[in-house]
Amino acid sequence: MIVGVLKEPAFESRVSLLAESVTALVKKKIEVWIEAGAGVKAYCGDDDYIKAGAVLRSREELLAGADILLSIHYNDIPATFGHKILIGVYQPLFNHAHLPVWAKQHITSFSLDMLPRTTRAQSMDVLSSQANIAGYKAILLAAEKSPRYFPMLMTAAGSIAPAKVLILGAGVAGLQAIATARRLGAVVEVFDTRPAVKEEVMSLGGKFIEVPGAADASKAGGYAVEQSADFQLRQQEKIAESIARADVVITTAQIPGKRAPVLVTSSMIGAMRKGSVIIDLAAATGGNTDVTKNNETVVYHGVTIVGDSSLPSSMPYDASKLYGKNVLNFLQLITGKEGQLNLDFSDDLVKGCCITYNGEVVHEKLRAVSDKP
Ligand code: NAD
């Protein structure tokens, strides 16, 4: 069997598999083909891949000869590429126009962002490995953009109070943002609609602000659910109190497949101190503020709002290392000891992230959307 690694589009610095993950596949007698230059921006040169046992190929050769194609982003797949396997992060709940085409080509596609967030899936959970980086980078970016120190300082020239950081959403990105902000010495306040995260927030040194009456998300597999209008109003009032004293706000709230909830309104931003910074990690799905622009930085009433949606790409080595490890673990799941393909659709992880198979769009969450071209 041949696994091919495609070079990502120009805007992306990551690669879907580093050389260090190639060795494990080669040991299983799986051939690994790398599109020449695929890892260069992630500091993994063609030589590194060759040393690990991979073979360099052109994009055309990969598309024609590989049995499994790895990438992070969606790629245009030629009509001749049929009856083969694609593995990536295709965000099919938002981008679904190509799904009927892939189905018609009899492509078996796995979108790793659709994996259920269960304990067994953790080693393959690309959303978590990449959101962790986004949370860390969000704080570094905020510290860089902020005109104020993060730590408390007592100097001969006077004292500096610690920065006040407000974090909205304590999932993977939010928890890493809390930890990073605390390491830099900030005081951290946190909101989340899932009371289950309170203890984790507190153990990282954050203050959890509870808004009673959130909708029960205990059956949503670790994700949030939509909230009532009444809850949203009460939450906004509480956030408004915290935001007025915050120097930095990191917003991470998402609901899978839906537009991100607007938690910070322009009037709240207008009440913030000039020079404050908001890093909106939910920019790609509409943003948690009503001022955010995806992949742009805007200044509103003296407050900088960053909507950078490719933070993992700004740390390409570690992001690729973790992404590649996630992919390797998934490949181990769908191949046998001798490297042969072993697709077991009774496995909830295999079934959970398979989007097209056997001529059909198979994921239950996608059947309805993919009917619309
Ligand atoms: P997650 O699902 O683990 O965490 C989101 C958290 O937000 C959950 O704990 C949820 O309970 C909370 N939440 C939802 N609605 C809320 C509300 N109304 N009020 C308060 N909290 C609420 O997600 P994650 O993996 O941590 O990712 C967070 C965000 O970061 C996502 O939008 C994701 O797409 C984005 N992300 C951005 C980048 C980037 O480069 N900007 C990279 C990776 C992920």
Side-chain angles (χ1 to χ4, degrees), residues 231-253:
F231 176 86
Q232 285 178 32
L233 210 66
R234 283 184 296 113
Q235 188 191 35
Q236 279 195 351
E237 279 167 15
K238 279 273 193 189
I239 291 175
E241 284 169 26
S242 289
I243 218 168
R245 43 179 193 265
D247 301 303
V248 166
V249 182
I250 311 289
T251 67
T252 79

Side-chain angles (χ1 to χ4, degrees), residues 117 127-128 130-131 134 168-174 191-194 197 222-225 227 231 235 252-255 261 263 280-282 285 308-312:
R117 260 181 162 171
L127 288 186
S128 291
Q130 305 303 296
L168 303 181
V172 179
F191 281 78
D192 199 297
T193 45
R194 292 182 304 130
V197 297
Y223 287 106
V225 291
Q227 300 296 329
F231 176 86
Q235 188 191 35
T252 79
Q254 70 163 351
I255 298 157
L263 305 180
D280 189 347
L281 291 186
T285 49
D308 188 337
S309 285
S310 52
L311 291 175

